[in-house]
Amino acid sequence: MFTTERLYLRGFRSSDARLILDMWNNIDVQPTISNEYIVPRGPKFLDHITASAEDALLFLTIEKRSETGSDETVIQEEHFVGTTSITMGNPKNRDGIFGIMIEPKFWGLGYGEEVTRFVVDYCFHSLGLHRVSLLVFSGNERAIDLYKKVGFLEEGRKRKVNWIDGQWEDMIYMGILKEEWETASSA
Ligand SMILES: CC(C)(COP(=O)(O)OP(=O)(O)OC[C@H]1O[C@@H](n2cnc3c(N)ncnc32)[C@H](O)[C@@H]1OP(=O)(O)O)[C@@H](O)C(=O)NCCC(=O)NCCS
């Protein structure tokens, strides 16, 4: 388990899947992470969540730090903040794909930045990655601002690729290289 200033980042437990499903089904969250039909997902989707967690190079459940630690087998709902992940498409190129999902009630508190900085640093210093990539929809200004603040650069754009709320939005490709992270961290 990892610890940041205000958070625990720990390994996925099967009991987390229900909380992740509830977060996924939140109408403010699902359109930011899915280009499929925006519809509530039922219990079958729990298997997809568990499979995604197990297939990732790194899949962490984010918890608020508490006095009692995070040893409970089942997380207390009020401590569940979200998830973050790194998946590897092609290990030869050491290019990890970053993902993050935070409960809307915790948005704007700096948790996204705290988690993203930790994971990017861990990718370069412990996982041996050479770059971290991500995909974000152009309508997701909150996420784009966060990624730019951490040091990601826009690398490309697939135009009008996602139909959402009666209009098309672009898919933006962003990335950060190890040397860029080192330079930003030492500034
Ligand atoms: C995107 C997400 C991870 C951001 O997490 P967060 O905890 O709200 O972000 P933070 O509080 O750490 O904010 C970090 C920066 O993001 C930007 N930001 C935060 N709220 C914002 C808003 N309402 N509008 C625009 N930018 C915003 C700011 O640059 C902010 O830095 P600042 O507080 O110094 O101004 C979170 O909103 C989320 O999980 N959204 C749903 C899932 C998602 O979009 N995942 C990413 C898919 S690519």
Side-chain angles (χ1 to χ4, degrees):
M1 180 178 72
F2 307 114
T3 306
T4 62
E5 191 187 344
R6 295 173 293 169
L7 303 165
Y8 296 126
L9 307 178
R10 62 155 175 81
F12 172 79
R13 298 177 192 142
S14 50
S15 55
D16 299 334
R18 190 188 59 77
L19 291 166
I20 298 170
L21 176 63
D22 289 347
M23 182 170 57
W24 179 284
N25 278 335
N26 186 303
I27 193 60
D28 292 325
V29 173
Q30 196 180 132
T32 65
I33 49 175
S34 173
N35 60 1
E36 305 286 336
Y37 290 111
I38 306 302
V39 288
R41 303 291 179 160
K44 269 193 184 169
F45 204 66
L46 292 169
D47 293 341
H48 167 77
I49 291 169
T50 302
S52 304
E54 284 167 358
D55 290 347
L57 170 64
L58 181 73
F59 190 99
L60 300 168
T61 296
I62 309 166
E63 273 183 54
K64 270 202 295 181
R65 282 171 70 168
S66 69
E67 297 295 314
T68 52
S70 102
D71 291 334
E72 301 102 352
T73 317
V74 178
I75 186 172
Q76 288 177 27
E77 207 157 324
E78 67 269 24
H79 289 165
F80 176 77
V81 172
T83 65
T84 185
S85 61
I86 293 289
T87 49
M88 285 291 277
N90 177 342
K92 169 180 146 288
N93 297 320
R94 296 189 284 131
D95 180 8
I97 300 166
F98 176 76
I100 185 168
M101 223 192 310
I102 289 188
E103 278 282 357
K105 67 183 174 195
F106 294 122
W107 288 1
L109 300 177
Y111 288 160
E113 183 176 351
E114 192 169 320
V115 169
T116 306
R117 286 191 187 282
F118 175 86
V119 173
V120 170
D121 194 69
Y122 195 76
C123 284
F124 292 135
H125 289 133
S126 298
L127 300 180
L129 299 190
H130 145 75
R131 52 171 287 132
V132 179
S133 305
L134 62 83
L135 302 173
V136 59
F137 295 123
S138 54
N140 194 351
E141 287 172 18
R142 182 187 297 270
I144 294 166
D145 285 357
L146 162 63
Y147 298 143
K148 284 183 179 163
K149 189 173 179 196
V150 169
F152 284 85
L153 299 178
E154 180 174 333
E155 297 180 319
R157 189 177 273 255
K158 198 164 181 177
R159 295 167 304 144
K160 294 191 175 181
V161 71
N162 189 40
W163 178 253
I164 190 80
D165 286 340
Q167 57 187 353
W168 292 106
E169 65 178 356
D170 299 347
M171 171 78 85
I172 302 175
Y173 293 74
M174 300 185 83
I176 184 166
L177 304 178
K178 182 168 192 255
E179 55 268 33
E180 292 166 347
W181 179 249
E182 302 292 355
T183 306
S185 308
S186 63

